[in-house]
Every structure is written in structure tokens, then in C-alpha cells.
């Protein structure tokens, strides 16, 4: 196979090619590292490449595959080989990979070799993936854009003047630019789904408790979870199988409900912004959701319009928890001044939250979760735009001289995503729409627009099943970004 053909495969197809011997893990690694140094640099995907570690893993995968082929046990799913043996999968630079420097996108944190693998990294290793590098993230993963003071800016390969989103921006850029077929990420307020929308990918935020933070992590308020960015629904489902493993002592746990099969679903179409009631919604974003609703109706499901489940002012509980979370980052006091203005502002807000206010915020989130469950009891799935706007121009969202305005602009850009973090319910962004945008230099481009589906806690299989049917009805695999345009 040609290098272009190899890098264009999704993770499931690439794993099959490696098992049949049509390509080797070292050949795939060579192609991946070349792409990472080329288009990966153009889109700001990586903060560090780990060529030596990846080479060791690829050679071990190659030996295992050769031995299995000699034994006649690599094809047909009957062997004991890991499911993604030899498939490249980088890790977001908020997550520990033993021996690999971590900086979390911050000038206030000196890079240091991670002392251990975080739980999800252990699982990705066990699945056979090759860790080719750490992907770019904004400082501490806080904003919805990836423009750190240290490391490159992550750009959508569909238009290099525009952001890949955040905070898993580097991960999304790497997958969309065909450097890797899958990349690890995380989502505390939309950080998988936002870049999925900006880069034309599939981004699933699993149910709270389904993907454990592992033996070294804690859930805290339960807003964030690990996941992956992919180009196909089947990869999203397969990697959920990889990562949905409990660890002893987990605070939150989840049970997966069975997929509904051919059951007729009731779909609630939510077009009004939730957390920023006056947020302007680009017509292409609303149109993409309406088109998805028409597709679902054509598949035999009932679609009804629904209002927001609570008033925008009720979202303040999330803001309190988010600011305290920013304050919890272990930044030495003598390096606080090296933080970006937004992070300093959030940490100051965190310091102003009293113990009583924090407890009240937690209680408020739990009450909102009950209210959302009641409001949406009559629908199986909620459908909305993923974002209120197409991918933003690089630099347009980071407002260093007014962090409060920066934060407000982020909420207006993402008026639906954090609802699913608050409630712990699963949500998935699918690349079903597109928008024509014009840049300040007068050039224009077509960029992706995501559509988001969310469901009840534990209904991840339902979402993936429905997403697969939408992918079949309106396939997106033929669409390619012009990474250097």
C-alpha cells in the first residue's frame, strides 16, 4: 500500500492491514513520523514526538505479528493479539506516559519525565497501540482553543487560519490531518467534542464513570473523562471497549445499557443555546442540526423540538467548579506569574469560592442533573449543534487583556457542550455539516461543522448505534481537508 493509503485508513482498517501483513508496524511508524514532522507541524499537532519509544513498541508489535502469522492465527479474530497492535495513537499532554516529558501546555510548569503511565495509557498499551508523541493542549486544558505560550498553536487542517479547538486540539489536528488514525484526549466541558467539530471528526464523551481516571487519578467533581478522537464511529466504539475498564476504588462507575437495535426513538431537537442564552448561532450550525433531524426522521425516528432544560443563570455552578479545578493545579507560587491571564483569572476566582460555596455548587449540579432528567424524560436522544459557530480564527478567542471577556466568549462558542459534563451523560459530535467561511485576507474555505447527540447516563451504546446509522446515511469518509491550503 502507498503511504497515503496507509495514513488514510481508520484504526480498525489499519489494524487489519497490519495483521494480514500488507504493511508492517515499522512501515506505518516511519510514515507517521514523516507526516508528524510535515503536516503535523503545519497544524501544530505535537508538543513532543517519541520516536525511540515508538520504535521499540513498533518492533515488538512486528515480532508478535510475524510470530502469529507463522502460526496462522492473525486473521479472523480468533487470535490472542491485542486489537490495535501496531496502530499509532498519541497521548494528550495532560496525561502521564512513563519517562516522557509532560508540561500541560504551561510555561509555569517545567517539563519533567512522567514517573508512571496513567490508567488510560496502560490500557492503550495493552491494546497494542504505538505511542508516537504527546499532543498539544492549552494551559492545563482550560480553554476551548489550543494556543499555549509553550508549544505550537493547534489549527484545523481544513483552514490553517482557524483553530482546531480545545482542549484536545493537537489530538484532533493530528487525526484530521491524517498523521494518525486515532488520538487520546479528554473532555471536561467539551474538550473532545469541540475539536471534533472544528476538525471534522468523531468525538465521544463517555458516560461519567465508564472510563476510569485509573490508579493515580481522581474524579473530583466528575466533570472530566478520557476518550479518543477518531474519523469513524466504529473506531470510537472500539476504543470505548479498550478504555471502559474499571480500576479498584473508582469513585464513579457506570453500566452500559444494550443498544436499542431497530427500536423507534424519540429525538429532541435542541436549537436554543443553554448556558449562554443570547449566544449567536451561525446558520450553518443550526442547519446542520436540522439536516441531522431530517435524516433521523427519514430513518423512522420521531423528532420533536425541545427547549433548554434550565435557565442559563443556573450554569454558575459549573463555573464555580471549573475555577476551583483550575486552582487545584500544582503550580508553585513563585511561578504563578508565568501562567496565561485566563488561568490566573480563573485561579483567583477559585480562591474566592468558599467551602460553603463549593458545596453549594456541587449540590446545584446534582439538582440540575435531576431537573435535566425530568425535562428530557420524554426523549431518548437530544440533538443539537455541537458549537454555535464554525472553527474560530486563531487568536480571536484568546483575549489576554480581558480574561472575563475571554471566558464569556468561550461560553458563547460552546453553549451546549458542558451540559453533558454537568450531568455525566454521554454525548458524541459527528461531522455531518459544513460552513463556508471568509478569512480576513478575503480568502474563503469550506470547514466542518459538528452535530451533537446526547443520551441518558449509560446509553453510550445507543448513541454509537445511532451515530453509525447516521454515518451510513450521510457518510463523511470521502471528505478530505486540504492541510496546506
Amino acid at each position: 500500500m502507498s503511504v497515503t493509503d496507509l495514513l488514510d485508513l481508520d484504526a480498525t482498517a489499519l489494524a487489519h492491514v497490519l495483521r494480514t501483513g500488507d504493511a508492517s508496524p515499522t512501515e506505518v511508524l516511519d510514515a507517521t513520523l514523516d507526516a508528524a514532522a510535515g503536516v503535523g507541524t503545519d497544524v501544530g499537532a505535537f508538543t513532543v514526538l517519541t520516536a525511540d519509544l515508538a520504535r521499540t513498541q513498533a518492533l515488538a508489535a512486528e515480532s508478535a505479528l510475524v510470530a502469529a502469522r507463522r502460526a496462522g492465527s492473525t486473521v479472523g479474530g480468533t487470535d490472542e493479539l491485542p486489537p490495535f497492535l501496531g496502530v499509532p495513537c498519541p497521548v494528550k499532554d495532560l496525561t502521564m506516559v512513563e519517562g516522557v516529558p509532560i508540561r500541560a501546555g504551561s510555561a509555569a510548569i517545567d517539563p519533567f519525565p512522567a514517573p508512571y503511565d496513567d490508567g488510560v495509557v496502560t490500557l492503550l498499551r495493552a491494546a497494542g497501540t504505538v505511542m508516537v508523541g504527546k499532543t498539544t493542549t492549552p494551559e492545563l486544558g482550560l480553554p476551548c482553543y489550543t494556543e499555549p505560550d509553550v508549544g505550537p498553536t493547534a489549527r484545523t487542517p481544513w483552514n490553517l487560519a482557524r483553530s482546531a479547538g480545545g482542549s484536545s486540539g493537537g489530538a484532533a489536528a493530528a487525526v484530521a490531518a491524517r498523521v494518525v488514525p486515532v488520538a487520546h484526549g479528554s473532555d471536561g466541558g467539551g474538550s473532545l467534542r469541540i475539536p471534533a467539530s472544528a476538525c471534522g471528526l468523531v468525538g465521544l464523551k463517555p458516560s461519567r464513570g465508564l472510563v476510569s481516571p485509573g490508579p493515580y487519578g481522581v474524579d473530583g467533581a466528575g466533570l472530566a473523562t478520557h476518550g479518543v478522537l477518531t474519523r469513524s464511529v466504529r473506531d470510537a466504539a472500539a476504543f470505548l471497549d479498550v478504555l471502559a475498564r474499571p480500576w479498584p476504588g473508582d469513585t464513579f462507575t457506570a453500566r452500559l445499557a444494550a443498544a436499542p437495535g431497530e427500536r423507534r426513538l424519540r429525538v429532541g431537537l435542541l436549537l436554543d443555546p443553554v448556558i449562554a442564552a443570547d449566544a449567536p448561532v451561525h446558520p450553518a450550525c443550526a442547519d446542520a442540526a436540522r439536516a441531522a433531524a431530517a435524516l433521523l426522521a427519514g430513518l423512522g425516528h420521531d423528532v420533536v423540538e425541545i427547549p433548554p432544560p434550565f435557565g442559563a443563570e443556573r450554569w454558575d455552578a459549573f463555573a464555580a467548579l471549573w475555577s476551583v479545578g483550575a486552582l487545584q493545579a500544582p503550580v508553585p507560587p513563585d511561578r504563578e506569574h508565568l501562567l496565561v491571564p485566563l488561568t490566573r483569572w480563573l485561579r483567583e476566582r477559585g480562591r474566592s469560592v468558599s467551602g460553603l460555596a463549593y458545596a453549594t455548587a456541587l449540590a446545584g449540579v446534582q439538582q440540575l442533573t435531576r431537573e435535566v432528567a425530568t425535562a428530557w424524560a420524554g426523549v431518548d436522544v437530544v440533538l443539537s449543534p455541537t458549537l454555535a459557530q464554525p472553527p474560530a480564527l486563531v487568536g480571536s478567542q484568546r483575549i489576554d487583556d480581558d480574561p472575563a471577556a475571554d471566558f464569556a466568549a468561550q461560553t458563547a462558542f460552546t453553549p451546549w457542550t458542558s451540559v453533558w459534563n454537568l450531568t455525566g451523560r454521554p454525548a458524541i459530535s459527528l461531522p455531518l455539516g459544513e460552513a463556508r467561511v471568509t478569512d480576513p485576507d478575503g480568502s474563503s474555505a469550506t470547514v466542518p461543522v459538528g452535530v451533537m447527540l446526547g443520551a441518558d447516563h449509560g446509553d453510550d451504546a445507543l448513541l454509537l448505534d445511532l451515530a453509525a446509522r447516521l454515518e451510513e446515511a450521510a457518510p463523511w469518509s470521502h471528505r478530505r481537508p486540504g492541510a496546506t491550503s
Side-chain angles (χ1 to χ4, degrees):
M1 299 184 68
S2 72
V3 167
T4 300
D5 289 340
L6 274 178
L7 296 182
D8 204 38
L9 297 174
D10 73 355
T12 301
L14 181 57
H16 179 75
V17 164
L18 291 171
R19 287 182 180 233
T20 60
D22 290 336
S24 72
T26 52
E27 289 171 341
V28 171
L29 175 60
D30 289 340
T32 298
L33 292 176
D34 285 347
V39 67
T41 299
D42 295 340
V43 298
F46 294 94
T47 183
V48 62
L49 292 173
T50 53
D52 290 343
L53 171 60
R55 182 75 55 190
T56 299
Q57 293 177 337
L59 287 170
E62 198 159 308
S63 296
L65 286 162
V66 168
R69 279 196 295 272
R70 285 174 178 165
S73 61
T74 58
V75 182
T78 60
D79 58 84
E80 298 300 324
L81 292 176
F84 291 101
L85 189 60
V87 173
C89 178
V91 173
K92 185 177 177 180
D93 196 31
L94 296 180
T95 299
M96 300 281 192
V97 178
E98 184 177 3
V100 177
I102 183 170
R103 193 167 198 176
S106 178
I109 298 175
D110 284 331
F112 63 93
Y116 50 75
D117 282 343
D118 271 318
V120 290
V121 176
T122 298
L123 296 174
L124 289 170
R125 283 188 193 263
T129 64
V130 173
M131 215 299 284
V132 295
K134 301 296 290 292
T135 55
T136 314
T137 184
E139 186 167 80
L140 308 181
L142 294 172
C144 67
Y145 50 82
T146 303
E147 301 174 20
D149 281 351
V150 291
T153 291
R155 304 168 185 271
T156 176
W158 297 83
N159 180 349
L160 296 183
R162 294 181 178 264
S163 172
S167 63
S168 304
V175 177
R178 266 61 180 177
V179 179
V180 293
V182 58
H184 160 267
S186 54
D187 190 316
S191 289
L192 285 164
R193 292 158 290 150
I194 295 163
S197 181
C199 294
L201 301 174
V202 177
L204 170 70
K205 184 205 83 70
S207 291
R208 179 181 294 151
L210 192 56
V211 177
S212 168
Y216 306 106
V218 295
D219 283 296
L223 300 177
T225 184
H226 293 276
V228 294
L229 286 147
T230 66
R231 296 195 293 265
S232 67
V233 174
R234 68 177 183 176
D235 277 0
F239 274 88
L240 183 62
D241 286 342
V242 167
L243 297 180
R245 297 287 187 271
W247 293 78
D250 284 344
T251 301
F252 298 108
T253 59
R255 294 181 179 178
L256 279 178
E262 296 296 328
R263 179 168 67 89
R264 187 170 185 155
L265 300 175
R266 189 168 172 84
V267 178
L269 176 60
L270 175 63
L271 295 175
D272 293 332
V274 178
I275 69 168
D278 57 349
V281 179
H282 193 283
C285 298
D287 288 347
R290 291 191 185 97
L295 279 173
L296 290 170
L299 292 172
H301 302 296
D302 297 319
V303 179
V304 295
E305 290 201 28
I306 59 173
F310 54 81
E313 71 283 352
R314 302 285 305 284
W315 185 78
D316 288 347
F318 179 92
L321 299 181
W322 195 249
S323 61
V324 171
L327 181 60
Q328 287 180 293
V331 178
D334 63 344
R335 299 182 70 84
E336 187 97 10
H337 68 285
L338 297 175
L339 295 169
V340 301
L342 174 69
T343 305
R344 293 201 304 270
W345 178 79
L346 284 169
R347 286 167 68 87
E348 282 304 313
R349 290 188 71 183
R351 291 185 180 95
S352 70
V353 177
S354 67
L356 176 60
Y358 187 77
T360 301
L362 283 175
V365 167
Q366 292 170 8
Q367 184 59 42
L368 275 181
T369 300
R370 293 184 182 278
E371 292 177 18
V372 169
T374 300
W376 289 344
V379 296
D380 300 293
V381 173
V382 174
L383 166 67
S384 73
T386 304
L387 301 173
Q389 298 292 323
L393 288 165
V394 168
S396 66
Q397 294 176 302
R398 180 172 170 174
I399 311 172
D400 283 350
D401 59 357
D402 191 348
D406 180 317
F407 192 72
Q410 291 186 62
T411 61
F413 187 64
T414 63
W416 295 282
T417 56
S418 62
V419 173
W420 304 96
N421 301 86
L422 281 169
T423 60
R425 293 173 167 224
I428 188 168
S429 181
L430 303 175
L432 288 170
E434 58 184 27
R436 193 72 181 168
V437 295
T438 301
D439 295 340
D441 65 0
S443 62
S444 60
T446 298
V447 295
V449 166
V451 169
M452 187 164 60
L453 299 168
D456 200 1
H457 189 265
D459 274 345
D460 303 63
L462 180 151
L463 280 187
L464 288 164
D465 182 75
L466 196 59
R469 295 175 190 277
L470 284 168
E471 183 179 24
E472 183 179 2
W476 52 75
S477 63
H478 62 283
R479 300 206 293 257
R480 303 284 190 279
T484 57
S485 61

